[in-house]
Amino acid sequence: MTADQAGPRSTPSASARTDPARTDPARTDPARTDPARTDPVPVVIIGAGPVGVTAALLLARRGIRTVVLERHQDVYPLPRAVATDDEVRRILQAAGVGEEFAAIARPAHGLRLLDARHRVMAEFRRSEHGHHGYPQTSMFDQPELERLLRDALAQRPECELRGGVEVTGVGPDLAGPVRVTYRDDDGEHQLWAEAVLGCDGAGSLTRAAVGAAWEDLRFEERWTVIDVRTKADVRCWEGVDQVCDPHRPTTFMRVGEDRYRWEFRLQEGQQPVRELIAPWLSPSYDGDFDVVRETHYTFRARVADRWRSGRVFLLGDAAHLTPPFIGQGLCSGLRDAYNLTWKLARVLGQGGDERLLDTYESERKPHARQLIRLAVAMGWAMTGGQDGAAALRRRTLAAACRIPGLTAAAGRDLSPRLTAGPLVRRRMRRSLGGTHCPQPWVVGADARRSRLDELLGEGFTVLTAAEPWPSLRALAHGLGVPAIPVADLRDDGTLAAWLRAGRVDAVLLRPDRVVMDVVPAGRNDFTDTAAWASLLHTTRSPAPSPRTVENSLPRSATR
């Protein structure tokens, strides 16, 4: 559950931990000491929240330099987003902070629906071992996430963070190089960028620059969010509780060892905090009780009608606003970053086809809209709504929760597959195209156990059910990617079972581990090579080289 879409960012902190070498004007902006210098920066990112910094880290790992502009010096110190899923933990792994995030994350059991008397109506269990190799739901503290992301950013020479600046303009020419103007204590400055990523939140200046307008998906409610730290024996099940009470709809979750969050739909004559959360505390408890934050949010469901103009892109809350009922607000923003950055790096760093960038909006926008609509449906069902059909919805929900197998099915991955397009070929029914490859633990040539993505590296990969045949090996060689039999990866059988279930002999994985195309069982070729081959052509050699992967594999995988 998140409530990160409508709250203000903090004022600059006097105890900012930003590296002075990254904020001192004379040391970080050549244009300030040499006004004639107009060399474009590869990428300017507006906003240093989790989405913007993750995008910078993902680009850095592909050798693309970025300048991140942020109006505050330090991270916002109070909690906002508190939940993520296994797919997004895989993205954090790709950004280089997977182990660090594991140290601050707390796996959660899933979601329970409670009636007004707090009796369990249904449980939607989430596994501790999801498709992507991580717990399907993890709780965390957003300031801790932002701190570890910024610490990682400070270690990357490709990344530069300029805090305490206000971006005042983007454009007017958005085709590139794009001019970005900003001011700080020293006055007005400008940068020229090959591409601009607008990660600047719901009130995005970048969204106005690209001429985007909101599409309203018809959900708007005022809620109060209360974060508490206490040593009390709070009644919880180590997951999320949703109280389906039309008079007092409530969401409750444990976030950390002694941290809890409650969300209540606002009503006239709001009760004091202690009275609101009394049902979760022992009546006799009179000990410590620290309200870390109490604030009001307006939960909205919106998606921008356009996410790109030329080389300027919208990501995160600048592109979409999601009610918090399925915990996908921040998750959707990090998916934006992962989807766009590998394509942008290929275009900027390897001379990739510009049409790759068209697929960002065509893939991400339908995906985000589908999750927003699911969040809206869950919100109306769980809170009961405020119209004449509320009672019918509650009865329907209660009946649905009694259908055998429904709750188990609803507890599976929430993220839908990507729609068909130039980079997702789906000519077969139930095709693996547009889905993610699972991520088991594998064993490399050095006998070291690692996660699959760590061994495969940053590029495209062909995975095969058996030894690659000559034509497939020739195709992989032409693309500059490895062709790897899954048996050589020495996992627990997950990959072989996944290929069998999908009825394919080989898959082409994109850098974000989405299946791009498949070789159906019994055939020799991918289903639609002609549709994507020209898009993958580059004018420069791919980086990193497939040799990086090959040297990590057993000898039989590289013959």
Side-chain angles (χ1 to χ4, degrees), residues 12 63 81 94 135 139 161 305-306 342-343 381 400 406 419 444 523 553:
M139 313 303 295
L161 172 62
D305 62 353
R306 60 186 302 183
W342 75 261
K343 300 169 183 176
L406 179 63
T419 56
R523 302 185 192 177
L553 294 171

Side-chain angles (χ1 to χ4, degrees), residues 117-130:
R117 297 172 61 183
H118 288 214
R119 296 174 300 188
V120 177
M121 298 167 58
E123 287 186 4
F124 302 93
R125 286 274 177 173
R126 305 286 277 166
S127 170
E128 289 198 16
H129 305 284

Side-chain angles (χ1 to χ4, degrees), residues 424-498:
V424 174
R425 312 315 298 169
R426 287 170 55 184
R427 290 192 171 185
M428 302 164 51
R429 291 186 60 192
R430 299 183 180 179
S431 171
L432 292 179
T435 67
H436 282 87
C437 172
Q439 183 180 211
W441 289 92
V442 297
V443 180
D446 58 359
R448 186 175 68 89
R449 188 169 178 261
S450 65
R451 296 185 186 275
L452 175 66
D453 293 357
E454 295 170 358
L455 186 144
L456 296 184
E458 308 288 344
F460 286 82
T461 303
V462 174
L463 292 183
T464 63
E467 280 294 318
W469 47 98
S471 61
L472 184 66
R473 192 175 294 281
L475 176 62
H477 179 75
L479 293 173
V481 306
I484 306 171
V486 295
D488 289 350
L489 294 170
R490 292 188 285 175
D491 68 333
D492 59 359
T494 295
L495 294 170
W498 174 65

Side-chain angles (χ1 to χ4, degrees), residues 98-341:
E99 293 303 318
E100 293 82 353
F101 184 77
I104 67 171
R106 184 185 188 92
H109 289 167
L111 171 70
R112 290 195 314 188
L113 303 185
L114 311 180
D115 64 15
R117 297 172 61 183
H118 288 214
R119 296 174 300 188
V120 177
M121 298 167 58
E123 287 186 4
F124 302 93
R125 286 274 177 173
R126 305 286 277 166
S127 170
E128 289 198 16
H129 305 284
H131 184 79
H132 299 276
Y134 293 98
Q136 286 185 297
T137 299
S138 297
M139 313 303 295
F140 68 97
D141 181 53
Q142 183 168 337
E144 291 185 324
L145 169 61
E146 292 199 38
R147 175 57 57 204
L148 71 85
L149 286 170
R150 288 210 188 183
D151 288 346
L153 193 77
Q155 302 302 313
R156 301 294 313 203
E158 306 91 343
C159 303
E160 179 185 328
L161 172 62
R162 301 182 186 177
V165 307
E166 179 188 0
V167 176
T168 56
V170 177
D173 180 10
L174 306 183
V178 181
R179 184 178 63 185
V180 178
T181 57
Y182 66 94
R183 71 167 63 99
D184 61 13
D185 293 341
D186 295 326
E188 294 279 349
H189 310 278
Q190 67 180 25
L191 289 169
W192 292 90
E194 304 254 356
V196 176
L197 309 189
C199 307
D200 45 348
S204 171
L205 175 146
T206 316
R207 188 174 59 251
V210 304
W214 284 126
E215 175 190 348
D216 192 345
L217 300 184
R218 300 183 179 180
F219 185 93
E220 185 169 320
E221 288 188 347
R222 292 279 291 168
W223 284 61
T224 184
V225 178
I226 302 168
D227 288 280
V228 169
R229 190 180 300 274
T230 180
K231 290 183 168 51
D233 185 18
V234 179
R235 292 189 293 108
C236 66
W237 77 301
E238 299 298 337
V240 178
D241 278 343
Q242 179 63 54
V243 182
C244 304
D245 179 358
H247 303 293
R248 176 68 74 187
T250 304
T251 305
F252 164 69
M253 67 211 74
R254 183 175 188 171
V255 178
E257 189 63 32
D258 61 349
R259 277 204 44 235
Y260 304 86
R261 169 172 289 185
W262 284 267
E263 299 170 358
F264 301 92
R265 191 168 65 195
L266 276 175
Q267 297 178 342
E268 292 185 9
Q270 185 82 357
Q271 298 170 255
V273 170
R274 193 63 178 252
E275 293 181 18
L276 285 171
I277 69 176
W280 287 269
L281 297 174
S282 168
S284 61
Y285 183 74
D286 194 28
D288 71 302
F289 192 82
D290 178 22
V291 178
V292 177
R293 183 187 68 150
E294 179 183 5
T295 190
H296 299 327
Y297 283 95
T298 300
F299 295 155
R300 294 186 174 94
R302 293 178 176 177
V303 61
D305 62 353
R306 60 186 302 183
W307 292 26
R308 176 196 179 195
S309 179
R311 286 289 187 86
V312 181
F313 303 84
L314 303 179
L315 296 81
D317 285 353
H320 43 75
L321 298 177
T322 308
F325 304 111
I326 57 174
Q328 289 293 307
L330 179 60
C331 295
S332 290
L334 294 180
R335 289 190 186 97
D336 296 342
Y338 202 24
N339 185 286
L340 176 59
T341 51

Side-chain angles (χ1 to χ4, degrees), residues 50 54 57-58 61 84-102 134 140 145 148-149 330 334 338:
T54 298
L57 291 172
L58 290 167
R61 290 170 73 87
T84 189
D85 60 25
D86 55 325
E87 180 185 342
V88 169
R89 289 197 60 171
R90 191 174 187 174
I91 295 172
L92 293 174
Q93 173 193 327
V97 296
E99 293 303 318
E100 293 82 353
F101 184 77
Y134 293 98
F140 68 97
L145 169 61
L148 71 85
L149 286 170
L330 179 60
L334 294 180
Y338 202 24

Side-chain angles (χ1 to χ4, degrees), residues 64 100 107 154 199 327 369-370 454 526 542:
I64 303 299
E100 293 82 353
C199 307
R369 181 186 281 110
Q370 190 169 344
E454 295 170 358
F526 287 103

